[in-house]
Amino acid sequence: MRERHASQGARRAREFEAFVAGAAGRLLHAATLLTAEPPGANPRARRLLTLALSHTYASWDRLRGEDPYDRTRQYLAVRFARGAWHQYGGLGRSRPSPDSVLARLTPQERLILVLRMYEGVAEEQTAALLGLPAERVGVICARATATLLHPPRGPAPADVREVAPS
């Protein structure tokens, strides 16, 4: 009996390791986009990914035909939403890097934009995951995209009139 459990545990570990080897890079990039941290210095994104992967590993045997990538992405999104929308609780209290283009967006806008544009999740699936109407997801995604494509301009330069030498 023990040998069978050990064999199943080893198989489970190999399957999970193969999944992580194939998916961790993309998931880390998604987490980094969510936290708006620089790619080289992303401790909150790494912590978020670790939580999502540990959750996936804990439920590995119960996936039964479900895509582990989708499950991990869902947990990543939900965990980010809980932490970010509640004053970054659980992910640290730091704010996004001001150097990041995505820092201009609210956490909700970043989450929807990453799910829709980077991950390619359908509007209806994103809405169901976040508990929002699909129309609201569309509006938020459009607003976030517009913010990124048309950043606010800085203050207008002062009207400096050259004085012609007399």
Side-chain angles (χ1 to χ4, degrees), residues 98-110:
D99 299 333
S100 172
V101 173
L102 294 173
R104 291 187 214 132
L105 303 177
T106 67
Q108 185 182 46
E109 290 171 334
R110 276 197 312 272

Side-chain angles (χ1 to χ4, degrees), residues 89-158:
L91 294 176
R93 299 245 179 235
S94 61
R95 297 286 176 207
S97 169
D99 299 333
S100 172
V101 173
L102 294 173
R104 291 187 214 132
L105 303 177
T106 67
Q108 185 182 46
E109 290 171 334
R110 276 197 312 272
L111 178 57
I112 289 172
L113 196 67
V114 168
L115 288 174
R116 294 280 297 120
M117 300 300 169
Y118 180 71
E119 288 292 324
V121 177
E123 193 171 281
E124 294 79 18
Q125 288 178 300
T126 302
L129 178 64
L130 302 178
L132 296 171
E135 297 80 23
R136 181 75 181 135
V137 168
V139 168
I140 293 170
C141 188
R143 183 178 62 217
T145 304
T147 300
L148 293 179
L149 292 176
H150 308 290
R153 295 183 182 161

Side-chain angles (χ1 to χ4, degrees), residues 11-22 57 60:
R11 179 189 49 79
R12 177 185 189 208
R14 280 192 310 274
E15 288 174 355
F16 185 74
E17 286 173 10
F19 163 69
V20 171
Y57 184 73
W60 191 258

Side-chain angles (χ1 to χ4, degrees), residues 5 13 30 41 49-50 52 67 73 75 102 110 121 147 149:
H5 285 296
L49 178 58
T50 301
D67 184 4
R73 181 182 55 215
Y75 188 79
L102 294 173
R110 276 197 312 272
V121 177
T147 300
L149 292 176

